[in-house]
Amino acid sequence: MGRTTRRLVLGAWLALAGATLGPNRGARADEGMWLINRPPTAAIKAACGIEPDAAWFEHIQRSCVRIGTGGSGSIVSADGLLMTNHHVGSDAIAKLSTPDRDLLEEGFLALSRADERRCPGLEVRILWQVSDVTDRVLSAVKPGSSDAEAGAAKRAAMTSIEAEAQQRDALVSEVVTLYQGARYHLYQYRRYDDVRLVFAPEQQAAFFGGDADNFEFPRFNLDVCFFRIYDDGKPLRPEHHLGWAETGVADQEPVFVFGHPGRTRRLYTLDHLAFLRDVELPARLARVWRTEVKLQTYSGRSRANARAAADDLLGVQNGRKVLTGQLAGLLDPALMARKRADETALRAFVESDPERTARWSDAWTKVAEAQRAYAAFFHRYDALGRGRPPLDGDLFDIAWTLTRWNLERTRPNEQRLREYRDSEADTIRLKLFAETPFNLDLEKEKLAAGLTWLAERLGGGDPRVVEALGGKSPADRAAELVDNAVVIRSVQSRKFVEPSGRQVIEKNRDTLIRLALALEGEARQLRVRYEDEVESVERAAYAKVAAARFAKEGENLYPDATFTLRVSFGAVRGYRDGGASIPAFTTIGGMFTRAADRAGDPAFALPDRWAKRRDKLDPKTPFNFICTADIIGGNSGSPVVNKDGKVIGLIFDGNIHSLVGDFVYDGTLNRALAVDARAIAHALDVLYDAKDLVKEITGKQ
Amino acid sequence: MGRTTRRLVLGAWLALAGATLGPNRGARADEGMWLINRPPTAAIKAACGIEPDAAWFEHIQRSCVRIGTGGSGSIVSADGLLMTNHHVGSDAIAKLSTPDRDLLEEGFLALSRADERRCPGLEVRILWQVSDVTDRVLSAVKPGSSDAEAGAAKRAAMTSIEAEAQQRDALVSEVVTLYQGARYHLYQYRRYDDVRLVFAPEQQAAFFGGDADNFEFPRFNLDVCFFRIYDDGKPLRPEHHLGWAETGVADQEPVFVFGHPGRTRRLYTLDHLAFLRDVELPARLARVWRTEVKLQTYSGRSRANARAAADDLLGVQNGRKVLTGQLAGLLDPALMARKRADETALRAFVESDPERTARWSDAWTKVAEAQRAYAAFFHRYDALGRGRPPLDGDLFDIAWTLTRWNLERTRPNEQRLREYRDSEADTIRLKLFAETPFNLDLEKEKLAAGLTWLAERLGGGDPRVVEALGGKSPADRAAELVDNAVVIRSVQSRKFVEPSGRQVIEKNRDTLIRLALALEGEARQLRVRYEDEVESVERAAYAKVAAARFAKEGENLYPDATFTLRVSFGAVRGYRDGGASIPAFTTIGGMFTRAADRAGDPAFALPDRWAKRRDKLDPKTPFNFICTADIIGGNSGSPVVNKDGKVIGLIFDGNIHSLVGDFVYDGTLNRALAVDARAIAHALDVLYDAKDLVKEITGKQ
């Protein structure tokens, strides 16, 4: 779990395509995370009664921002002001804090441009253009190739396309796999890495109610912060930015959400879902529980510890809630019955025709085979990180990236692990050279926990474990690893080592680099095995599943989420839950009522400023609202706009029923939660004395 | 995790026998949990300079009490007053609470005998006599038997011996396996099941510092409560009870601890420890983490939930700390090196002589084979409860016990699962018929979590899981199970069903009985497989290991702990930890300092009464102290007595270094924590106005 991977920053959901879905069919008009280059104009017209044109979409697209740490945002002023969630910015805010001044706890307001604080390691991207490169990717596959060979050829083609496009257009270029393998689109971005903090409220205001209220509604969260994008040392003068709605939003009004949903798995086959349910989710949950307990224990030891681990703890609690919700969905017979009905109908459609049978009918078996192949090495691959750093902690993350970056660059660009391709070099270096503070005590704690976890998963006598522990207990070893990480703890030394290549890195004496080297080899072998035996097989099979679906239902289907810009639409709308009627809006006054109801619980304590300035606030101001737009983790910080493209809110969470959105969308219960734009402007004005900021976003005094 | 299985109530540690242990040899004079029928008089004389006689031991033995929920205690007045830890009594205290009156939070003092509150389901036992039945148990094994046959024959012999002894002596009789299979002793108890609550402080006073300070020292815990044993409706007039020391205890003074250490694994072979490290502990930890997070989440939802789950949460947090400490010990190369040196020396001794080689040298291989056999079905057996109820919750526990009790009684006494032998009938019925309240919401929560866990471990398509879920989601199914458990929720109905036998139970419509039936069959098969392929093989092999050790080191070795009465001895003594010198005593004044240091943390909040009456307290009064006596989980509530056999303290915890005591004892760091008897009397007197109680235990006004 990275520090900011929480709430909607990461998540997962899976959409059934629209046509054949039985009982819930009628309720799902608002379903879909649609490609920005293929917006569902007819469906929007049917649902909302308006027909936005291409210029409307392009304006909003180029006002939107993808944030490096895993969230979404939008530019809301002519001077490059960037709005997102506090919980998307919290990692950066934490890194700007010092032992004397905890900006998460206190909040922050830059009193002038000079006071805006640059965030080390933070980058944002604006999607500039998208094109379809499916033909070129697929034509790289030689006839008669095995699935593994085809997969390698496609990955190599993607990397070549990116390298060419990057050079040609001076835009960061990324080929994205859609429909799990049926389509490939080239996404090209403007990239900015000078991002400065302008405003953040107290975390207690942003996350009032804490873990208990996370994914619940009614809510009362001012989950917003503002950054400013700088270009060449000056505030960016963007070509596009979003205006602020003058009058707010009303119940039942149509709304649009533009953001970067991270991942859904709505197109997975039943066998694939069974693998998630029985193998992958239990393994991930086991680690999340462990991490949560470890962080709670660490936090319990002192107030300083609690502060140091607060953001991590929120992240892991959020992850636990997401995974628990997903597993509950997969254990829900009604959900699985719906998935089964859909798959049965699609397979019957294929098998009702000899040609379709010949082309596509083996796809489901292939996916099942891939899961069986994966199960054979999943637990070992999982213990070794499943493509990510196998141990936690910022220092190890840097050591792992630096080590791999040196090793991978000894290979041709097209043969590297994809995240180390040349087109990502700037982003990799930004991370490696960021001047961020480390809490060495917490780093040791995380490494000790990680080493213990490795030993638990692989056994104390396993060669990787023996090498990682170096004859010491996990706690002693963790202390030694951090104390002697002389290269990794110094940006200067990292800059010196970064261009070294394999031989130098393999001889480096830095303890964390040596640890990364001890684990990296087998981790890479398993990664390649995963790509060859699982991913490549799945891609080939899912291309067939998608083709069958297109044949049956037409091409007007949205692909699963891929952390690329999508548009969702729907309406502001309450719902009924277990007999109770949940209205669509909360008010600022409601927050004070809730705080009184839960007096004594620190999660519901009012921030000092809110308690003291209560009489300045208009209690009737709408605070949070819910809408039916289809979102998922990664959508955190997405702007909610009205039919005029004006900002009316800011997505910050989904309700508890949205957690199964990884697999299905249910419009009767699934709701996206947003901070009302009126609450943002009102709080900035009367609580935080941020009049200049209010003027900048609303254009009004 | 049962509700009270915490701190020293359950736990685990493993002692090397005294003679050959290299570097720590000198420091371990205080090691050992000695059999009460073979007290280490010579060692006591050497260490403490006194020679207590048989009458001294018998007097204390018959003043001590084993508490059904898993702890220790002692009788401290001529009217049957029983002293133990608050955390040993907390389960009973919780069951006496009502929504209006939370006795855990408020505390309790009976103002008269009539006000003393009978605890449903609570029983205590006083060890009356012990005899060696090794020859009779071993002679039941026919020559040429396999290990599995021998194991079954021994278990049958144990049950027969118990049945005979119970009838002959009118004492509850229990044959205990010592040295993992080398010796069998018959323990016979007086049993009492009318136990009434007399006094409990606020839980916040008993467990000041909470999870953060658990297993730490310095500490400031008034972890005590008093019950009274009744016999025939009148206070017991015991033949023996402990007197109260007039002057307390001094630093370096010799002390004796009499209690019921639950389990240690100090005699385990290296292969057996590796199995614990690599298989068993990781699996147990995974469940503990999950349960902790689930309970935290449940508690976070409302104050009522937090109160309902508080005792469970403390229990599971304690379990997590114990297991984490054990795993850390097994991952500590120094500890494992010490175990290896010991095993190498013992095996060299065996192999240095042909006759010893022929008799004993295959024992280590046999233990390793048993672990391999166990690994083949461990995870499935673990998911199905490993001999305990596979799902959590009081209701399911009753359903499981009632179901098995009916099924097992269709077999001859000697062929049943041992815990359902006839000599345990009174204890089983006490549990089945206890009039205890249920929190149905929490019961549903636990069942839903348990069903999800089962699905995670076995897979959603597993026949047991499918049957357990009955086509519903875990949450829906849990609600249905609790709502329709018409027999289990009524004591009257349970009494009606209890004598039914197999046919009636198999046709019962109670949802929880049906669930128990669905899981019980395979769980029993796996239990039998465990007994045949693992336990019986281990018992035979460990009998050889112990024989070799006796041959090498003499018979003066203590066996691993077995939740039977043991005596430990040592001295009040501070220690050095990481350069810091930790004195042996804390004072009541120190508690107020600590509360001020940790102001704002609810775990360190002073109970109201303590804050308000602070000036009545003498701040210099010794509060908690540490001593070198060798203890483990199960010792909770053990009296600490001086050479005159008078009470000077009450064991309530070990320090963090005691957690590896499951496997080794290290006298330089391992410390037992006790509440000082002076603090108990002083607090009862000036804080709780319990003057009669003070007089009853001290004999003074």
Side-chain angles (χ1 to χ4, degrees), chain A residues 155 263 275 279-280 283-284 287 370-371 373-391 400 404 417-419 453-454 457-458 462 464 519-536 538:
Chain A
R155 284 193 301 275
R263 185 179 58 178
F275 180 85
V279 182
E280 185 176 323
R284 291 185 61 193
R287 180 149 196 183
Q371 307 319 307
Y374 198 12
F377 65 96
F378 174 86
H379 285 290
R380 194 158 183 94
Y381 183 35
D382 188 52
L384 288 169
R386 275 201 297 141
R388 297 171 48 84
L391 303 172
W400 184 260
R404 277 219 156 148
L417 298 177
R418 285 262 300 148
E419 62 272 31
W453 173 251
L454 202 66
R457 294 299 297 276
L458 299 182
D462 182 87
R464 291 289 89 70
L519 302 174
E520 196 279 336
E522 188 184 351
R524 194 182 202 284
Q525 281 169 16
L526 291 169
R527 164 76 172 268
V528 170
R529 184 172 173 189
Y530 169 75
E531 289 179 350
D532 286 351
E533 298 181 16
V534 185
E535 188 187 78
S536 296
E538 286 176 1

Side-chain angles (χ1 to χ4, degrees), chain A residues 229-390:
Chain A
I229 305 172
Y230 279 71
D231 191 22
D232 244 352
K234 289 191 289 283
L236 177 71
R237 300 284 301 174
E239 292 179 37
H240 297 270
H241 75 272
L242 298 180
W244 203 260
E246 294 228 346
T247 52
V249 65
D251 200 4
Q252 307 297 330
E253 186 177 322
V255 297
F256 300 84
V257 174
F258 286 77
H260 299 81
R263 185 179 58 178
T264 56
R265 294 179 279 204
R266 296 183 187 176
L267 298 173
Y268 275 20
T269 66
L270 287 171
D271 291 312
H272 205 163
L273 292 176
F275 180 85
L276 281 186
R277 180 193 66 191
D278 298 341
V279 182
E280 185 176 323
L281 286 178
R284 291 185 61 193
L285 271 167
R287 180 149 196 183
V288 164
W289 289 318
R290 180 187 213 291
T291 308
E292 179 167 356
V293 170
K294 287 274 171 195
L295 286 173
Q296 291 250 15
T297 313
Y298 181 79
S299 301
R301 274 186 229 140
S302 73
R303 188 152 169 70
N305 281 12
R307 207 175 270 184
D311 204 45
D312 281 334
L313 185 58
L314 294 182
V316 76
Q317 287 177 326
N318 182 75
R320 177 252 303 157
K321 224 162 183 175
V322 169
L323 294 169
T324 306
Q326 289 176 0
L327 186 62
L330 294 179
L331 289 171
D332 177 358
L335 187 152
M336 290 302 267
R338 191 171 148 194
K339 306 296 294 185
R340 186 167 296 112
D342 174 61
E343 185 164 312
T344 304
L346 184 57
R347 295 184 73 168
F349 168 76
V350 170
E351 284 158 20
S352 67
D353 173 87
E355 194 188 334
R356 291 199 291 258
T357 301
R359 291 172 67 187
W360 302 322
S361 70
D362 66 343
W364 288 266
T365 317
K366 286 276 191 188
V367 172
E369 279 168 12
Q371 307 319 307
R372 273 195 294 279
Y374 198 12
F377 65 96
F378 174 86
H379 285 290
R380 194 158 183 94
Y381 183 35
D382 188 52
L384 288 169
R386 275 201 297 141
R388 297 171 48 84

Side-chain angles (χ1 to χ4, degrees), chain B residues 650-669:
Chain B
L650 172 68
I651 293 294
F652 74 100
D653 206 356
N655 67 354
I656 198 81
H657 305 290
S658 75
L659 291 175
V660 296
D662 201 338
F663 314 114
V664 288
Y665 173 87
D666 175 355
T668 59
L669 290 170

Side-chain angles (χ1 to χ4, degrees), chain B residues 334-600:
Chain B
L335 186 153
M336 290 303 267
R338 193 172 146 192
K339 305 297 295 185
R340 186 167 296 109
D342 174 61
E343 184 163 312
T344 305
L346 184 57
R347 294 185 72 168
F349 168 77
V350 170
E351 283 157 21
S352 66
D353 173 88
E355 194 188 333
R356 292 198 291 257
T357 302
R359 291 173 65 187
W360 302 321
S361 69
D362 66 344
W364 288 265
T365 318
K366 286 275 193 188
V367 172
E369 280 167 12
Q371 306 319 306
R372 273 194 295 279
Y374 198 12
F377 64 97
F378 175 85
H379 286 290
R380 196 159 181 94
Y381 184 35
D382 189 52
L384 289 169
R386 277 202 295 140
R388 297 171 48 83
L391 302 172
D392 283 340
D394 291 347
L395 286 171
F396 184 76
D397 189 23
I398 290 170
W400 185 260
T401 305
L402 182 61
T403 303
R404 276 220 156 148
W405 179 229
N406 271 287
L407 299 181
E408 290 300 317
R409 272 180 305 163
T410 61
R411 300 167 189 270
N413 193 27
E414 295 75 23
Q415 289 171 28
R416 298 181 199 162
L417 298 177
R418 285 263 298 148
E419 62 271 31
Y420 294 98
R421 61 199 190 273
D422 283 332
S423 57
E424 289 296 313
D426 286 346
T427 299
I428 292 168
R429 292 199 180 100
L430 181 70
K431 172 180 171 176
L432 290 179
F433 304 153
E435 285 279 7
T436 50
F438 300 107
N439 180 321
L440 297 183
D441 188 53
L442 184 56
E443 292 289 321
K444 288 176 186 176
E445 182 80 11
K446 287 182 183 178
L447 272 176
L451 290 167
T452 308
W453 173 251
L454 202 66
E456 284 175 44
R457 295 298 299 276
L458 300 182
D462 182 87
R464 290 291 89 68
V465 175
V466 170
E467 202 172 351
L469 287 174
K472 297 204 165 53
S473 71
D476 289 346
R477 176 65 169 153
E480 173 186 73
L481 285 166
V482 170
D483 290 339
N484 299 329
V486 288
V487 172
I488 296 304
R489 283 171 56 182
S490 146
V491 171
Q492 202 56 36
S493 305
R494 283 183 243 150
K495 282 188 175 159
F496 183 77
V497 170
E498 189 266 334
S500 304
R502 175 179 291 271
Q503 288 191 330
V504 171
I505 205 87
E506 282 182 348
K507 291 200 180 114
N508 201 290
R509 310 288 301 168
D510 180 283
T511 39
L512 285 169
I513 292 177
R514 299 225 62 76
L515 178 64
L517 282 165
L519 301 174
E520 197 277 337
E522 188 183 352
R524 193 182 202 283
Q525 281 169 14
L526 291 169
R527 164 76 172 268
V528 169
R529 184 171 173 190
Y530 169 76
E531 289 180 349
D532 285 351
E533 297 180 18
V534 186
E535 188 187 79
S536 296
V537 179
E538 286 176 2
R539 292 270 156 94
Y542 277 119
K544 294 183 182 181
V545 174
R549 208 175 271 285
F550 293 148
K552 177 168 176 278
E553 296 161 16
E555 288 253 352
N556 201 21
L557 302 170
Y558 63 92
D560 268 326
T562 46
F563 199 37
T564 49
L565 190 65
R566 302 289 179 95
V567 56
S568 305
F569 62 91
V572 175
R573 188 165 293 155
Y575 64 108
R576 292 191 66 80
D577 195 0
S581 180
I582 316 277
F585 287 92
T586 64
T587 63
I588 284 181
M591 181 194 198
F592 291 90
T593 309
R594 185 120 173 89
D597 287 348
R598 296 299 299 269

Side-chain angles (χ1 to χ4, degrees), chain A residues 20-43:
Chain A
T20 54
L21 293 171
N24 285 300
R25 181 83 189 91
R28 296 190 295 100
D30 301 339
E31 173 175 341
M33 302 166 183
W34 299 90
L35 293 173
I36 195 73
N37 52 329
R38 292 190 55 207
T41 41

Side-chain angles (χ1 to χ4, degrees), chain A residues 485-499:
Chain A
V486 288
V487 171
I488 296 303
R489 283 172 54 183
S490 147
V491 171
Q492 203 55 37
S493 305
R494 282 182 243 153
K495 283 188 175 160
F496 183 77
V497 170
E498 189 266 334

